[in-house]
Amino acid sequence: MASTRDIRRRIKSVRSTAQITKAMQMVAASKMRKAQQAALNGRPFMQLLYALQRKATTAAVDFTDPLLEARPVRKTAVILVGGDKGLCGALNSNLFRVAAQFDPATTLFITAGRRAAQYIARTKRQLHAEFAYGDSPRYAEAKAMAACARDLFLNREVDAVKVVATRFVNTLTQEPVSLDYLPVAEVKGMKLPENITEEKLASDYLEFIFEPSAEAFLGYLLSLYLNVFVYQVLLNAKASEQSARMVAMKNATDNANSLIEDLTLHYNKLRQGKITTELSEIVGGQQANE
Amino acid sequence: MAQTLQLRIVTPDQIAYSEQVEMVTLPGIEGQMGIYPMHVPLMTQMVPGEIGVRKDGRDYFLAVGEGLIEITGNEVAILTDMAIAAEHIDEAKVEEARQRAQARLQEKLSDEEVASINSSLARSLAQLHVKRRTHH
């Protein structure tokens, strides 16, 4: 049986753990707010992008681009966007379960985040490139990843590109998703991973002049779309990671606190018992003397 | 009353600029253009350079990256990956970035790397251009 001293020591250790998890929870909460704000700040850009796309496609009906071309899929590339660190509950393992569904023989991986790279290395899958992204993902980071995937597709090394990442639903729910990235089957089918309400697009139809041409304009718009797609995915993944970590750390803190309560109760009982025994010994001794 | 244009410059992480202005000059892919209110509807690409804005009789300048421009009679909307107002440009830092890019161009590089360095060089130059102009 544990002595009171052992229990005291344990309470102390659990308390310091609770302190650490509490601090991590606070840090994750503040980072999560920042990440969510960043995702909101990206909205106007996407809305405008959608509006332009809508107007431009009405002008250039038969627009073609190598990026739109669907071919029989022999090899696939997967952009796997994972977290940088652990301690965020089941987030990463849920994500990797989706990634594991791709056939290792015909799939190339492009990873973002240290955990994703480690997973690919551990399961001995083919790694094409490894990217890092910071706590607040920057557009330039997304651009580099998009360019990498686009080159693979255009050089015909792969016939399709998918994005496997975590979608941020709300603070408590994040779901791993697999999204189609390339080929973009149809210009009109451009769909960003964020739900945007399409407001008043059809109402103000104007006859536009394009310089140099509607096709060139759409071509550029397409590349912009592909960059922003990855950017949005990164923002989503970051917000998910931080909120998952916040929730995991909150649970850890709560558990630690209830453990402290239990241990304290146990400790007090033990102490009480000891005092009672001591008292009855003294009383017993006194009675024997009389 | 003089007519005005609603100018919006949007980057992936924020709305960089949104004001009523009297006139705006843009670095279009086919050359610099000046846009006044009642311009014919136009869509075009933008190259890295400077945007000049006239508002209340004063001129303001912004450095911008590549992007798309949509012009209607009373609105100019710009999608770009970079937009920095002249007063926010850190000249020393940009100059350093420019020199770094130029130094890297001397090395042996693949076409892709050259393209990416050229584009960052173009952005640095655009910023420097805007900054130095506001000094004089």
Side-chain angles (χ1 to χ4, degrees):
Chain A
M1 204 183 121
S3 73
T4 47
R5 200 153 139 217
D6 287 338
I7 295 182
R8 238 187 359 238
R9 195 179 296 145
R10 248 191 101 190
I11 291 178
K12 213 171 141 194
S13 121
V14 172
R15 187 167 291 140
S16 71
T17 308
Q19 242 165 31
I20 293 170
T21 54
K22 179 86 186 167
M24 287 182 75
Q25 179 194 333
M26 301 296 210
V27 171
S30 104
K31 281 185 179 168
M32 179 192 75
R33 266 194 296 278
K34 233 182 265 168
Q36 281 176 348
Q37 192 53 45
L40 281 183
N41 289 345
R43 289 255 165 106
F45 190 87
M46 290 188 294
Q47 261 154 3
L48 193 53
L49 189 73
Y50 266 129
L52 288 185
Q53 173 247 323
R54 191 57 68 84
K55 288 169 191 163
T57 39
T58 48
V61 193
D62 47 358
F63 169 73
T64 54
D65 191 285
L67 290 169
L68 302 179
E69 176 200 358
R71 11 180 227 259
V73 177
R74 288 186 316 271
K75 273 201 125 181
T76 315
V78 170
I79 305 180
L80 182 62
V81 184
D84 263 342
K85 297 188 187 91
L87 290 182
C88 48
L91 185 87
N92 283 323
S93 40
N94 284 344
L95 181 72
F96 298 151
R97 203 166 307 134
V98 176
Q101 284 163 5
F102 292 93
D103 182 3
T106 59
T107 312
L108 276 180
F109 281 91
I110 298 169
T111 64
R114 268 204 299 279
R115 287 274 147 168
Q118 280 165 8
Y119 169 78
I120 297 305
R122 197 170 60 231
T123 53
K124 303 212 169 19
R125 286 163 204 271
Q126 303 173 53
L127 180 66
H128 176 74
E130 185 185 328
F131 289 91
Y133 64 110
D135 266 342
S136 38
R138 283 179 305 120
Y139 181 67
E141 291 163 339
K143 213 167 148 182
M145 289 171 60
C148 174
R150 193 158 52 215
D151 287 346
L152 270 182
F153 182 79
L154 289 179
N155 296 339
R156 296 181 169 265
E157 280 172 56
V158 298
D159 308 296
V161 182
K162 301 230 177 211
V163 174
V164 174
T166 320
R167 199 168 70 90
F168 181 81
V169 183
N170 56 43
T171 313
L172 289 175
T173 331
Q174 300 87 32
E175 54 175 15
V177 285
S178 162
L179 305 160
D180 293 323
Y181 184 57
L182 284 170
V184 185
E186 212 184 335
V187 198
K188 284 185 184 156
M190 279 186 193
K191 196 95 187 81
L192 286 164
E194 197 78 6
N195 298 321
I196 299 289
T197 44
E198 294 185 7
E199 21 116 331
K200 66 163 181 99
L201 288 181
S203 59
D204 48 354
Y205 178 77
L206 283 167
E207 198 66 53
F208 278 94
I209 300 172
F210 287 90
E211 262 177 28
S213 67
E215 282 74 20
F217 184 86
L218 266 175
Y220 186 77
L221 191 129
L222 192 62
S223 70
L224 211 55
Y225 155 78
L226 292 173
N227 293 342
V228 176
F229 189 106
V230 177
Y231 182 63
Q232 279 302 317
V233 165
L234 289 185
L235 289 178
N236 255 290
K238 202 33 102 177
S240 302
E241 188 191 338
Q242 296 301 356
S243 45
R245 178 162 304 127
M246 187 188 81
V247 172
M249 286 302 112
K250 183 171 184 340
N251 287 341
T253 312
D254 291 350
N255 286 344
N257 282 335
S258 77
L259 195 61
I260 290 174
E261 246 169 60
D262 289 352
L263 283 172
T264 313
L265 188 67
H266 191 62
Y267 171 73
N268 285 339
K269 266 188 193 159
L270 222 66
R271 198 173 55 114
Q272 194 86 57
K274 236 176 169 176
I275 292 170
T276 316
T277 337
E278 235 165 81
L279 268 180
S280 64
E281 265 167 17
I282 293 169
V283 173
Q286 222 166 23
Q287 273 170 351
N289 279 344
E290 279 167 9
Chain B
M1 191 198 110
Q3 284 206 340
T4 55
L5 278 166
Q6 168 73 25
L7 172 66
R8 280 200 302 159
I9 304 176
V10 189
T11 61
D13 45 9
Q14 61 174 339
I15 298 175
Y17 192 90
S18 178
E19 302 266 359
Q20 291 289 336
V21 303
E22 286 138 36
M23 192 267 247
V24 52
T25 50
L26 307 162
I29 197 165
E30 312 224 302
Q32 196 79 10
M33 358 183 241
I35 311 294
Y36 283 96
M38 306 301 289
H39 195 278
V40 66
L42 175 74
M43 285 198 191
T44 186
Q45 272 170 260
M46 185 170 73
V47 293
E50 63 171 347
I51 289 183
V53 179
R54 183 166 306 148
K55 182 179 157 63
D56 305 329
R58 287 190 55 195
D59 285 330
Y60 299 88
F61 294 96
L62 294 104
V64 290
E66 288 191 328
L68 294 174
I69 305 171
E70 181 203 23
I71 299 162
T72 60
N74 51 17
E75 199 185 273
V76 175
I78 298 170
L79 275 178
T80 178
D81 52 4
M82 181 192 85
I84 305 175
E87 60 267 28
H88 293 151
I89 297 172
D90 182 345
E91 190 174 346
K93 221 163 121 188
V94 178
E95 178 64 35
E96 193 195 312
R98 181 185 71 88
Q99 280 171 359
R100 211 167 42 226
Q102 265 171 349
R104 283 216 56 196
L105 279 179
Q106 307 300 319
E107 299 166 19
K108 219 174 177 155
L109 298 164
S110 68
D111 288 352
E112 275 167 45
E113 283 174 308
V114 169
S116 105
I117 292 168
N118 268 334
S119 88
S120 72
L121 189 60
R123 278 197 292 186
S124 303
L125 287 175
Q127 289 185 42
L128 284 176
H129 188 69
V130 170
K131 187 72 188 177
R132 289 186 178 150
R133 166 206 277 274
T134 47
H135 274 194
H136 306 318

